[in-house]
Amino acid sequence: MALDIHTLRLDFPALAQSVNGHPLVYLDNAATTQKPQGVLDALNHYYQSQNANVHRAAHALSGQATHAFEAARSKVARFIHAPDAKHIIWTRGTTEAINLVAYSFGMHSLKAGDEILLSTLEHHANIVPWQQVAAATGAIIKVIPLTEHAELDLTAAAALFSTRTRLLAISQVSNALGVINPIKELIALAKQVGALTLVDGAQAVGHFPVDVQALDCDFYVFSGHKMFGPTGIGVLYGKRALLEQMPPWQTGGEMIRQVSFEHTSFGELPFKFEAGTPNIAGAIGLGAAIDYLSGLDRSILAEHEQSLLQQLLAGLTAMPDVHIIGRPAAGAVSFIIDDVHPQDLATLLDMQGIAVRTGHHCAMPLMQALGLSQGTIRASLAFYNTADDIAALLAGIDKAREFF
Ligand code: 7TS
C-alpha cells in the first residue's frame, strides 16, 4: 500500500487552515495531536444522540452510552494487547494515571528506605508524584544518568538496582529529545530485584504499536490527546493482581458496591478506581481514534515518520550553527541555534505559520543535566506531516536567521 499523505490529511480538518497568513505547519505533536473527523464525529454523536450517564439508569440512552463507553475500554485493551478490559482504568491523562499509582500503590506500600528508580529523561509528570510519595513515606528517589549521547546509561542503571528498589518508573520515549529508552532491558533488570515497573507511554502510543504483555510491565500509562483522541481522557493499564491489591484512590459514587454510614465496600475492577461520572465522551472519542489508527497500516505510517525524521535531521545537521540534542529516534527533535534564544525563533516561525514548542518541555532536570538553561526548540512529528512541512521548517529557520 502506498501512503497518500495528502489524502490522509483531509481526515484532519484543523490541518487545513492558515495561521498568520501561511498554511499551518503543525510540528507540535508531542504536546498534542490533531483529531481526525471520525473522532470529532464520535464526540458529536455521543452528545447529540446518546448523552446519558453510564452504569446508572435502566433507560435506553443510558444503555447506549454505557455500551459505547465500555466498547471503548475494550478497544483500548486490544490496542495495547492487555489481557482483559478490566485492566484498563480511565483517567484524565498520563498525569492522573501516574498520580493514581503514586497515591494508591506508592503512599500505601512504600516505606522509609525503599527506592524508586526514575531517569534523567522523565517528564515532570513522572517525577513530581514520586517526590510526594518519597516525602510522605521516607522512600528514596534514585535517577538513571545519561551517556554522552543523552541516552540512558544502562551500565549505571544496572548498578542502581538493588534489593531496596521497589519501583522503576520510566518513559518509553522521551518527550523532550525523541529518544527511545531501552525499557525492555530496564524492565528485565527490575524483575531481577523484584521491583515493579511503570512505563510512561505518552510519547509512544501515537507512533508505534505497544504490547503491554510483551513488555511485561506492571503498569502502562498514556494520554488520549497525544494519539489523535480527545483531551481529558487517558489510561492506566495495570496487572490484575496488583490492581486488586491496591486501595481506591478517589472515592465516591460509581466505584462502590454497598455504602452505609458505618462501612463501604468497593466495586470490582475497573470501577473501583473510577469515582464519579467519567469523561464518557472522551472515552468514546479515544475509541474512535483507535478505530481510525486500526484502519491504517501502522508500519507504513512509522516508515513515513522515520523518513521525515531523517529529512529533518539531515537539514538541521547541514546548518553549522544548529546543534541537535541527543540522537532522536521517534517523534521529536530538540535543537539549539548559536546565539538565538529558542523563544525568539519560535515567535519568528509562528509568524510563518509554523508551530513548534520551546523551553524545558516539562523536563527541567533533563535540561539542567544537559546544561541547557534556555531549553531547546522542539519540532515533533505525526504521520500526517509531510516532506513539505519539514522543508518549510528548514526554510523558516533560514528566514528567521535574517532577523538575528
Ligand atoms: N509523560 C510524557 C512523556 C509526556 O510527554 C507528557 C506530556 C506527559 C507525561 C503528561 O501528559 P498529560 O497528557 O497528562 O499532560 N508532554 C507534553 C509535551 O511534551 N508538551 O506538552 C505536553
Side-chain angles (χ1 to χ4, degrees), residues 100-118:
L100 195 164
V101 179
Y103 282 81
S104 173
F105 162 74
M107 291 292 190
H108 288 91
S109 299
L110 297 189
K111 308 218 163 19
D114 284 348
E115 293 175 3
I116 303 167
L117 192 53
L118 308 177

Side-chain angles (χ1 to χ4, degrees), residues 217-390:
C217 53
D218 294 296
F219 302 104
Y220 193 94
V221 297
F222 60 96
S223 300
H225 71 97
K226 292 182 198 288
M227 51 165 288
F228 318 103
T231 52
I233 188 77
V235 170
L236 164 65
Y237 155 82
K239 284 191 178 165
R240 190 165 182 166
L242 281 166
L243 293 176
E244 266 166 4
Q245 280 165 28
M246 283 159 50
W249 172 37
Q250 296 177 341
T251 52
E254 297 263 358
M255 53 75 70
I256 51 83
R257 183 178 295 138
Q258 196 89 46
V259 178
S260 71
F261 278 108
E262 290 72 39
H263 179 72
T264 293
S265 58
F266 303 120
E268 307 246 306
L269 287 176
F271 310 114
K272 173 173 117 177
F273 291 110
E274 294 179 356
T277 299
N279 183 353
I280 304 164
I284 292 170
L286 178 53
I290 290 171
D291 288 342
Y292 181 80
L293 284 175
S294 307
L296 301 170
D297 183 332
R298 295 199 77 196
S299 60
I300 293 182
L301 301 184
E303 259 173 50
H304 168 68
E305 260 187 65
Q306 262 310 313
S307 83
L308 296 179
L309 185 70
Q310 295 314 320
Q311 181 192 350
L312 177 55
L313 292 174
L316 292 174
T317 305
M319 296 175 172
D321 57 348
V322 168
H323 307 278
I324 296 166
I325 313 300
R327 299 195 284 202
V333 175
S334 252
F335 58 97
I336 53 171
I337 307 184
D338 290 338
D339 306 321
V340 175
H341 195 289
Q343 189 54 43
D344 294 341
L345 179 73
T347 304
L348 290 167
L349 290 175
D350 183 50
M351 284 163 63
Q352 303 174 61
I354 303 167
V356 296
R357 186 175 170 189
T358 61
H360 52 66
H361 315 295
C362 297
M364 280 187 189
L366 171 64
M367 295 296 140
Q368 218 162 11
L370 296 171
L372 297 167
S373 57
Q374 297 180 329
T376 72
I377 303 142
R378 181 187 71 182
S380 54
L381 307 169
F383 65 81
Y384 48 57
N385 287 122
T386 63
D388 288 347
D389 288 341
I390 305 301

Side-chain angles (χ1 to χ4, degrees), residues 30-31 93-95 123 125 171 173 175 200 202-203 223 225-226 357 361 378:
T94 307
T95 304
H123 186 281
S171 52
V173 177
N175 71 309
D200 172 353
Q203 298 295 343
S223 300
H225 71 97
K226 292 182 198 288
R357 186 175 170 189
H361 315 295
R378 181 187 71 182

Side-chain angles (χ1 to χ4, degrees), residues 79-131:
F79 183 68
I80 58 169
H81 197 224
D84 192 303
K86 287 188 169 64
H87 299 239
I88 304 299
I89 317 289
W90 295 120
T91 66
R92 280 194 300 124
T94 307
T95 304
E96 191 175 65
I98 295 172
N99 272 275
L100 195 164
V101 179
Y103 282 81
S104 173
F105 162 74
M107 291 292 190
H108 288 91
S109 299
L110 297 189
K111 308 218 163 19
D114 284 348
E115 293 175 3
I116 303 167
L117 192 53
L118 308 177
S119 93
T120 309
L121 285 166
E122 297 316 303
H123 186 281
H124 296 163
N126 199 26
I127 299 174
V128 185
W130 304 117
Q131 280 174 338

Side-chain angles (χ1 to χ4, degrees), residues 23-230:
L24 171 64
V25 173
Y26 188 75
L27 292 170
D28 194 19
N29 293 288
T32 199
T33 52
Q34 300 301 341
K35 320 305 173 199
Q37 189 64 48
V39 169
L40 306 178
D41 289 346
L43 294 173
N44 212 25
H45 176 69
Y46 165 71
Y47 281 123
Q48 237 164 26
S49 37
Q50 295 180 318
N51 180 52
N53 213 328
V54 289
H55 307 133
R56 285 177 200 238
H59 62 79
L61 285 191
S62 179
Q64 282 178 32
T66 303
H67 178 76
F69 178 72
E70 289 305 327
R73 196 192 302 272
S74 298
K75 287 174 193 177
V76 169
R78 282 196 294 278
F79 183 68
I80 58 169
H81 197 224
D84 192 303
K86 287 188 169 64
H87 299 239
I88 304 299
I89 317 289
W90 295 120
T91 66
R92 280 194 300 124
T94 307
T95 304
E96 191 175 65
I98 295 172
N99 272 275
L100 195 164
V101 179
Y103 282 81
S104 173
F105 162 74
M107 291 292 190
H108 288 91
S109 299
L110 297 189
K111 308 218 163 19
D114 284 348
E115 293 175 3
I116 303 167
L117 192 53
L118 308 177
S119 93
T120 309
L121 285 166
E122 297 316 303
H123 186 281
H124 296 163
N126 199 26
I127 299 174
V128 185
W130 304 117
Q131 280 174 338
Q132 296 294 103
V133 169
T137 62
I140 294 161
I141 290 179
K142 297 213 158 172
V143 183
I144 302 171
L146 300 179
T147 66
E148 59 183 315
H149 300 295
E151 288 159 357
L152 294 188
D153 185 336
L154 266 181
T155 314
L160 285 170
F161 280 101
S162 78
T163 49
R164 309 220 72 168
T165 314
R166 297 286 312 279
L167 177 77
L168 166 75
I170 187 97
S171 52
Q172 191 167 10
V173 177
S174 149
N175 71 309
L177 305 186
V179 170
I180 300 178
N181 290 328
I183 58 166
K184 276 199 163 167
E185 291 83 345
L186 290 167
I187 290 170
L189 288 169
K191 284 190 187 308
Q192 281 175 17
V193 296
L196 296 182
T197 52
L198 177 145
V199 177
D200 172 353
Q203 298 295 343
V205 283
H207 296 285
F208 49 78
V210 165
D211 181 333
V212 290
Q213 292 186 77
L215 285 175
D216 201 18
C217 53
D218 294 296
F219 302 104
Y220 193 94
V221 297
F222 60 96
S223 300
H225 71 97
K226 292 182 198 288
M227 51 165 288
F228 318 103

